[in-house]
């Protein structure tokens, strides 16, 4: 783990250097934002299992409902390899999230709104999840629609910087998640200062699984002895993307009508 984490720390330093370069070279906020999003997408594409493809754009469900524009959409090996990478079908999305250069309270509210737009999408009724890492141990039916746990595609936030205190950030996220139990913001990763907040919604079923999953139960500012933010980010995305579903048909068949 030392080799991996040390490598991630070097990559994190490199990202911060690239952020400074982007700020120096570009003045237009839209261009800077797009370049910063590319940094995170490139990192994820290089550090996730090969089955994943990192995309962006909108997510659409089989009823035609669409999410808002989402910075990072990670599809699994069930998703069609569309040339248009801004068109993403819900049943093939593993994880998605936002990227912010500077996280303010106003930007956090926009993250909540985008998160809700993705979480409100509905899987086809015949494309049901089975018991996997998102379900609690007392909810093994796969009936997420009637369960009490957070549902929908896992949603995260990556921010390079923030002036929001960790206490305020924890309170704002906890309040949102309490008031919106089906539209939880699942994880937050901030590079400066180093903060990781992960919603404890991943279940474990054996002692070994518990020991591994427990490493992702984090809600704090990191210290020098902790894994770095990027280590947590890559580990979390890889883990929550392991949701298994009961695949009865190819994804495209749900979008025929």
């Amino acid at each position: 783990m030392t080799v991996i984490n040390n490598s991630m720390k070097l990559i994190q330093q490199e990202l911060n250097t690239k952020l400074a370069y982007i700020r120096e070279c570009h003045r237009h906020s839209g261009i800077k934002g797009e370049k910063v999003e590319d940094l995170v997408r490139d990192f994820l594409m290089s550090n996730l299992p090969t089955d994943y493809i990192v995309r962006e754009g909108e997510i659409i469900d089989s009823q035609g409902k669409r999410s808002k524009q989402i910075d990072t959409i990670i599809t699994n090996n069930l998703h069609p390899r569309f040339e248009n990478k801004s068109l993403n079908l819900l049943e093939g999305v593993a994880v998605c999230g936002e990227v912010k250069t500077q996280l303010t309270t106003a930007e956090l509210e926009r993250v909540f709104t985008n998160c809700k737009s993705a979480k409100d999408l509905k899987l086809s009724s015949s494309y049901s999840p089975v018991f996997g890492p998102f379900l609690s141990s007392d909810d093994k039916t796969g009936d997420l629609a009637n369960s009490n746990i957070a549902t929908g595609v896992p949603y995260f936030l990556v921010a390079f910087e923030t002036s929001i205190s960790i206490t305020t950030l924890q309170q704002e996220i906890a309040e949102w998640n309490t008031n919106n139990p089906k539209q939880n913001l699942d994880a937050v990763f901030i590079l400066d200062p180093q903060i990781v907040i992960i919603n404890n919604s991943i279940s474990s079923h054996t002692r070994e699984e518990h020991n591994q999953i427990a490493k992702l139960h984090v809600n704090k500012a990191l210290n020098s002895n902790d894994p770095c933010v990027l280590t947590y980010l890559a580990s979390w995305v890889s883990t929550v993307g392991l949701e298994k579903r009961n695949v009865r048909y190819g994804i495209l068949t749900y979008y025929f009508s």
Side-chain angles (χ1 to χ4, degrees):
M1 181 60 183
T2 301
V3 173
I4 298 300
N5 190 51
N6 287 343
S7 298
M8 290 293 183
K9 285 181 178 179
L10 292 173
I11 294 172
Q12 192 163 310
Q13 292 172 7
E14 182 182 358
L15 290 187
N16 286 326
T17 300
K18 288 181 177 179
L19 173 61
Y21 177 80
I22 289 169
R23 284 173 162 165
E24 181 64 28
C25 292
H26 304 287
R27 292 292 178 262
H28 189 276
S29 60
I31 295 175
K32 287 192 289 187
E34 183 177 346
K35 296 291 185 182
V36 170
E37 291 166 16
D38 284 341
L39 292 181
V40 175
R41 286 192 287 261
D42 290 346
F43 166 77
L44 290 171
M45 195 66 191
S46 298
N47 291 279
L48 292 180
T50 55
D51 283 347
Y52 293 112
I53 295 178
V54 181
R55 304 157 64 95
E56 59 183 300
E58 298 174 315
I59 304 173
I60 183 173
D61 67 17
S62 59
Q63 302 303 311
K65 188 173 182 179
R66 295 174 183 262
S67 71
K68 293 182 178 295
Q69 168 73 20
I70 297 176
D71 298 333
T72 304
I73 298 171
I74 300 169
T75 56
N76 57 35
N77 62 350
L78 301 176
H79 196 281
R81 291 181 177 270
F82 293 142
E83 181 178 355
N84 180 0
K85 290 192 175 182
S86 64
L87 176 62
N88 303 279
L89 307 183
L90 176 62
E91 286 77 7
V93 175
V95 195
C96 62
E98 297 289 301
V99 178
K100 300 296 180 186
T101 304
Q102 179 72 36
L103 180 65
T104 63
T105 53
E107 288 291 345
L108 183 58
E109 288 300 320
R110 281 189 275 272
V111 170
F112 290 148
T113 299
N114 282 11
C115 173
K116 185 178 187 302
S117 77
K119 296 273 190 171
D120 283 344
L121 300 177
K122 304 297 183 185
L123 289 167
S124 171
S125 59
S126 59
Y127 196 83
S128 57
V130 298
F131 187 56
F134 301 127
L135 300 183
S136 60
S137 58
D138 61 349
D139 193 352
K140 301 182 181 181
T141 64
D143 185 8
L144 290 184
N146 296 313
S147 72
N148 293 321
I149 64 171
T151 63
V153 61
Y155 205 93
F156 66 90
L157 164 66
V158 175
F160 278 76
E161 301 170 346
T162 189
S163 58
I164 306 173
S165 71
I166 184 171
T167 301
T168 299
L169 195 58
Q170 290 167 329
Q171 290 173 344
E172 292 287 336
I173 294 170
E175 181 179 355
W176 170 266
N177 287 349
T178 298
N179 294 335
N180 301 273
K182 300 294 186 182
Q183 295 92 19
N184 277 192
L185 177 59
D186 297 299
V188 175
F189 306 92
I190 299 175
L191 276 64
D192 185 18
Q194 289 202 100
I195 295 173
V196 174
I197 300 173
I198 296 177
N199 200 17
N200 295 344
S201 59
I202 305 174
S203 65
S204 55
H205 317 300
T206 68
R207 182 176 296 277
E208 181 181 359
E209 288 175 341
H210 173 79
N211 291 338
Q212 293 301 316
I213 296 300
K215 298 176 182 178
L216 295 178
H217 287 184
V218 185
N219 188 345
K220 65 176 184 176
L222 304 184
N223 61 49
S224 59
N225 295 321
D226 291 318
C228 72
V229 172
L230 293 186
T231 303
Y232 279 113
L233 172 62
S235 299
W236 181 84
V237 171
S238 297
T239 300
V240 298
L242 292 175
E243 180 185 17
K244 296 177 176 62
R245 292 184 173 126
N246 184 9
V247 182
R248 301 179 185 177
Y249 313 101
I251 288 176
L252 287 176
T253 62
Y254 300 107
Y255 293 82
F256 275 4
S257 58

